[in-house]
């Protein structure tokens, strides 16, 4: 699988680390009760199909970014801003 | 009697280059261009081994990668490689091969008794007999059965061969160099696209290599010549495309064994290429199917296409007569070519009538045809002697070989590696690709397009499309040679034998699965193809059922009264063909198995008597020779050094992070549970970080260098994780904070100076600095220049003694370390290693990686009081969820051994005194050491209810050694609870 790093371009997946579901909004610092944090940290849709997720070019420029990837086909939809 | 012989002329062998190999200890002669298989046949070695379960005599079935029987062990000693198909091995001088699965020899096999006991080995025999009512008996029988029913054996010795790996890129990858593949590669190449053509064979041409038509050969030579002349084309022979992965990553493995049967020459024996192709054209061809009839596994019974290959390509043919049995027209190619080579040929054709065209062409070559007939039985225990036909013509024919022509199975494996299931094509009577992603194309026989001119046209089109997809425009198509007539490939589907004697009729030769086994599996309710495979072991051999899958599937469909597509097909996964583990490992073996990280002080440790221990990727100084020869004695002396004098330890492996920016203090205040917003410049603070879920991520220290600059240290184990976490928060979530982070782990070295004489030692090393308690109190820090280099001094301690850490740029680490030892020599300072470092912190009750197991909370570790009450921090909300608040959680305790004659072991399971010693207990020992202060073994551990049980006597069990010891739960702070020494 090739992942398009917004800084370095297409690089092999082995240079990246996966950072999880990026579709959810993290409660802002200083806010969020137990329920809000619980839902944010533990509840996932885990879809088969289109997914927006965090990746880091950890063995490269170390940039974190959001990526659209189809979890069923590994088709890359590109970087999401 | 002679069954096979070398023809006096012809073939692609080089008769001017004789080759001598060794087979089962005897010389085996042949010529350059031979495979091990063709050389064996040329030497009339028809019986080449025994079958997997029944130990039946077996011969070669195929001439290519699909060979199920001809598996040999190559090489000797450490270079031994078992289960190699003889059809894929170039015959070279010095090659050593031997038969496997036959004892004492293939010709006289004591294990053939298995054949008489064959009811034992039918479908599900293993399951029924050994897995069923007599549970446990499998353990007893397994070694015996594996000994008797087995493939070759690995040596168990380290592999001395070299394997290599490379990355490559291209525009168009063409897999397979048959007519379709050549046309595709050349058409794409003519556009200027970077083309890679890979073929598992030693030469290019695929099925053309097995033909004898001069026009076709001229076409092949011209195509290869032009392709090789293109600077943008790369041709890879002996290179199998083993798998296709996401993003058009193809894994190619080139077998270079022919270069070096002698392991000492130094070339890589195999080369694995990770090839990124913009587009892929699959032209992987088709494999002929056997027919199922009584005793169809006699040596000398092979695929008709294999007889043709051996005759035309290797100039090895049946001695006098061959019988070919077929359900389609393609068998006549073999029949005609064998007849041309001087072999008398009889064809038994399942079909009631044969076309006039074939009748006339066959008649001209003297080929006898029996329409409406098939094989009733084959005779000849160690090689075919006679064939009895059944059906319209029940005649008996003396012969040397039998050719089976059951139609063709497209090689669809690669097309389904991406998850697209093959679909059944009635016209092709086989599975064809179920579809392709946009950048993939198929051409030729693998698409069910069998005719030569049609395959070439399809290949050329695919090559043009692929080049265009990859961004290349103009090209010229490749045309088929003139005067090619594409004949019919239609079969009369006759899956089960219509007329058959009672001998075993094999569906899968390699796994020894007969038609009866398939029937039994069906009767017993194993209806899914996947169950059939697992129950009968069909298709589970090293050939992965390349010749057997369709026949088995068709038979299963017939028994169930459904169509073949309804019965489904099995899933194809990489690798396409058996692969030596060495090829996958490449150079990632031995010292190169994983990277090694060395402290900037490493060379000093090496020269000064350190013994090293692996800590993650790091090599760390474990203990030094001045203190003793073994860790058990040395670390105690090194601990005493620190408790009574002063020691110097390398802590460069700690994660070190530079944090800068106007919001740096706010940032740290958020990630640490304790307050950092008001940390004064010149102070360092111990801190703990949580994950979002409230579980402890790491502990460490951070010093404030200036208003906007901080210097963080993390544990060695979590250095990468913490760095990535900080970057995540800053880049993904807290984008409003103006903070930059940079790892200094490799750029800076750290050394701990610990012990009551630490200040005295440092004062000797840095006489210009005021290091008094007032000037640099506990948890103070300062940067100062020393001989032009910035030294960062942090007064903090993990040992519980008066201690400092000295940090400096890595390039100066050794000179500064040596300077401290020399200048402070009057204090008796010496180096101490990781074992003592870890033991000192256990005595002090400092948690470290072994306690921070990614399951514990702040409270579990007794650190709850550290957390800020008035501020938010990462993990705060979930830290207070119900589960994390339970008083019954496993939490940190100190443990003291109550039985002086015993010792404690890390990992011991903890039980209450009244518990039965069974199961997972109430906790476990995380860290253990001998305490020089208390003169006993002490430990840290996690225990259900934790210090709520302080003072209780419990039991530590170590079942692996059958040991138990009594312990007392105590405070984890074994020494200096008030911290007087720290503040000295
Ligand atoms: Zn990057």
């Amino acid at each position: 699988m090739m992942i398009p790093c917004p800084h370095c371009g297409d690089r092999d997946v082995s240079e990246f680390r996966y950072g999880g579901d990026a579709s959810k909004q993290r409660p802002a610092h200083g806010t969020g009760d137990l329920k809000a944090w619980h839902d944010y940290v533990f509840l996932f849709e885990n879809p088969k199909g289109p997914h927006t997720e965090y990746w880091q070019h950890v063995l490269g420029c170390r940039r974190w970014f959001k990526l659209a990837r189809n979890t069923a086909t590994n088709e890359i939809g590109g970087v999401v801003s | 009697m002679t069954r096979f012989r070398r023809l006096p002329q012809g073939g692609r062998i080089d008769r001017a280059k004789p080759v001598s190999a060794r087979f089962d200890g005897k010389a085996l002669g042949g010529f350059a261009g031979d495979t091990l298989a063709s050389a064996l046949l040329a030497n009339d070695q028809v019986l080449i081994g025994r079958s997997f379960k029944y130990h039946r005599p077996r011969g070669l079935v195929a001439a290519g990668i699909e060979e199920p029987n001809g598996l040999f062990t190559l090489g000797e000693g450490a270079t031994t490689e078992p289960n190699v198909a003889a059809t894929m091995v170039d015959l070279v001088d010095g090659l050593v091969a031997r038969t496997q699965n036959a004892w004492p020899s293939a010709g006289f096999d004591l294990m053939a008794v298995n054949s008489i006991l064959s009811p034992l080995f039918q479908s599900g025999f293993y399951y029924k007999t050994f897995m069923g009512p007599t549970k446990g008996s499998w353990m007893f029988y397994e070694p015996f059965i594996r000994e008797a029913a087995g493939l070759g054996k690995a040596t168990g010795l380290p592999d001395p061969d070299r394997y290599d790996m490379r990355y490559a890129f291209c525009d168009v990858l063409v897999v397979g160099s048959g007519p379709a593949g050549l046309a595709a590669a050349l058409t794409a190449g003519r556009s200027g696209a970077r083309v890679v053509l890979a073929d598992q064979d030693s030469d290019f041409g695929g099925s053309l290599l097995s033909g004898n038509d001069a026009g076709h050969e001229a076409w092949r030579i011209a195509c290869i010549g032009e392709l090789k002349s293109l600077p943008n084309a790369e041709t890879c022979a002996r290179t199998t495309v083993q798998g296709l992965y996401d993003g058009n990553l193809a894994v190619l493995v080139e077998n270079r064994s022919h270069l070096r049967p002698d392991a000492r020459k130094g070339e890589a024996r195999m080369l694995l290429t990770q090839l990124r192709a913009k587009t892929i054209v699959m032209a992987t061809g088709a494999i002929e199917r056997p027919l199922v009839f009584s005793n169809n596994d006699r040596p000398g019974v092979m695929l008709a296409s294999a007889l043709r290959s051996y005759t035309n390509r290797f100039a090895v043919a049946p001695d006098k007569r061959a019988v070919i049995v077929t359900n389609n027209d393609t068998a006549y190619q073999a029949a005609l070519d064998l007849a041309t080579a001087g072999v008398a040929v009889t064809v038994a054709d399942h079909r009631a009538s044969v076309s006039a065209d074939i009748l006339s062409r066959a008649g001209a070559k003297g080929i006898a045809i029996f329409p409406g007939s098939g094989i009733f039985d084959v005779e000849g225990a160690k090689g075919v002697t006679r064939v009895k036909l059944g059906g319209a013509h029940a005649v008996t024919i003396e012969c040397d070989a039998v050719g089976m022509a059951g139609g063709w199975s497209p090689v669809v494996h690669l097309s389904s590696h991406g998850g697209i299931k093959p679909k059944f094509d009635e016209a092709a009577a086989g599975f064809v690709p179920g579809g392709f992603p946009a950048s993939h194309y198929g051409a030729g026989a693998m698409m069910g397009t069998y005719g030569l001119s049609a395959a070439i046209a399809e290949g050329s089109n695919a090559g043009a499309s692929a080049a265009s997809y990859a961004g290349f425009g103009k090209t010229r198509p490749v045309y088929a040679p003139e005067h090619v007539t594409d004949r019919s490939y239609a079969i009369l589907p006759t899956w089960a034998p219509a007329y058959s004697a009672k001998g075993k009729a094999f569906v899968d030769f390699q796994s020894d699965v007969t038609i009866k086994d398939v029937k039994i599996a069906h009767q017993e309710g194993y209806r899914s193809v996947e169950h059939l495979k697992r129950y009968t072991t069909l298709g589970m051999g090293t050939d992965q059922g390349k010749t057997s899958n369709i026949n088995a599937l068709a038979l299963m469909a017939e028994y169930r009264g459904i169509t073949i597509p309804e019965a489904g097909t099995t899933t194809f996964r990489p690798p396409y063909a058996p692969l030596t583990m060495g090829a996958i490992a490449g150079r990632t073996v031995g010292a190169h198995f994983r990277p090694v990280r060395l402290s900037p002080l490493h060379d000093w440790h090496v020269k000064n008597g350190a013994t090293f221990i692996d800590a993650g990727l790091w090599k760390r100084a474990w203990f030094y020779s001045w203190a003793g020869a073994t860790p058990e004695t040395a670390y105690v002396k090194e601990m005493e050094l620190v408790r009574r004098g002063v020691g110097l330890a390398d802590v460069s492996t700690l994660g070190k992070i530079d944090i800068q920016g106007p919001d740096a203090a706010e940032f740290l205040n958020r990630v640490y549970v304790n307050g950092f917003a008001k940390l004064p410049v010149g102070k360092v603070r111990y801190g703990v970080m949580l994950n979002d879920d409230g579980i402890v991520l790491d502990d460490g220290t951070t010093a404030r260098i200036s208003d906007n600059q901080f210097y963080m240290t993390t544990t060695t184990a979590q250095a990468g994780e913490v760095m990535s976490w900080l970057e995540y928060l800053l880049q993904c979530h807290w984008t409003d904070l103006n903070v930059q982070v940079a790892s200094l782990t490799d750029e800076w070295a750290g050394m701990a100076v610990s012990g009551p004489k630490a200040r005295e030692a440092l004062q000797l090393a840095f006489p210009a600095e005021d290091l008094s308690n007032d000037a640099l109190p506990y948890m103070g820090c300062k940067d100062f220049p020393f001989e032009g280099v910035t030294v960062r001094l942090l007064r903090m301690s993990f040992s519980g003694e008066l201690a400092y850490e000295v940090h400096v740029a890595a390039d100066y680490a050794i000179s500064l370390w040596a300077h401290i030892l020399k200048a402070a020599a009057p204090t008796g300072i010496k180096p101490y290693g990781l074992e003592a470092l870890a033991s000192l912190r256990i005595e002090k009750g400092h948690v470290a990686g072994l306690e921070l197991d990614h399951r514990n909370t702040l409270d579990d570790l007794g650190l709850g009081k550290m957390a800020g009450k008035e501020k938010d921090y990462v993990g705060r909300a979930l830290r207070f969820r119900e589960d994390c608040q339970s008083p019954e959680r496993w939490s940190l305790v100190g443990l003291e051994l109550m039985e002086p004659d015993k010792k404690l072991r890390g990992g011991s399971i903890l039980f209450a005194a009244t518990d039965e010693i069974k199961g997972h207990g109430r906790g476990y020992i995380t860290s253990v050491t001998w305490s020089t202060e208390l003169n006993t073994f002490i430990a840290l551990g996690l225990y259900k209810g934790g210090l709520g049980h302080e003072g209780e006597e419990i039991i530590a069990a170590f079942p692996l050694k059958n040991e138990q010891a009594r312990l007392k739960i105590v405070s984890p702070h074994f020494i200096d609870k008030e911290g007087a020494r720290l503040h000295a």
Side-chain angles (χ1 to χ4, degrees), chain B residues 227-244:
Chain B
L227 195 61
K228 287 195 170 176
S229 76
L230 295 176
N232 52 312
E234 186 186 348
T235 53
C236 309
R238 299 182 180 88
T239 302
T240 306
V241 179
Q242 290 284 13
L244 294 184

Side-chain angles (χ1 to χ4, degrees), chain A residues 3-78:
Chain A
I3 291 188
C5 170
H7 186 261
C8 308
D10 285 347
R11 305 293 304 173
D12 189 82
V13 64
S14 59
E15 296 180 7
F16 295 82
R17 70 175 283 165
Y18 179 68
D21 189 348
S23 65
K24 293 199 292 186
Q25 184 62 43
R26 180 189 177 90
H29 190 72
T31 70
D33 55 9
L34 189 61
K35 169 86 169 63
W37 279 98
H38 168 270
D39 292 356
Y40 169 71
V41 170
F42 295 114
L43 300 185
F44 297 95
E45 292 299 328
N46 197 20
K48 180 180 181 181
H51 194 225
T52 309
E53 54 205 21
Y54 286 114
W55 286 84
Q56 185 189 21
H57 195 193
V58 69
L59 299 182
C61 66
R62 300 195 67 91
R63 173 82 172 260
W64 278 97
F65 53 93
K66 287 187 195 178
L67 184 77
R69 179 182 67 104
N70 187 310
T71 59
T73 64
N74 275 344
E75 199 181 323
I76 305 292

Side-chain angles (χ1 to χ4, degrees), chain B residues 78 101 165 233 256 329 342 403 441 460 531 592 639 651 695 782 879 913 925 954:
Chain B
N101 204 25
M165 196 278 275
R256 312 172 89 229
D329 281 359
Y441 306 85
S460 183
H531 288 161
H592 303 289
M639 281 175 80
V651 295
I695 299 297
K782 67 188 255 178
R879 202 194 132 200
I925 292 182
I954 62 168

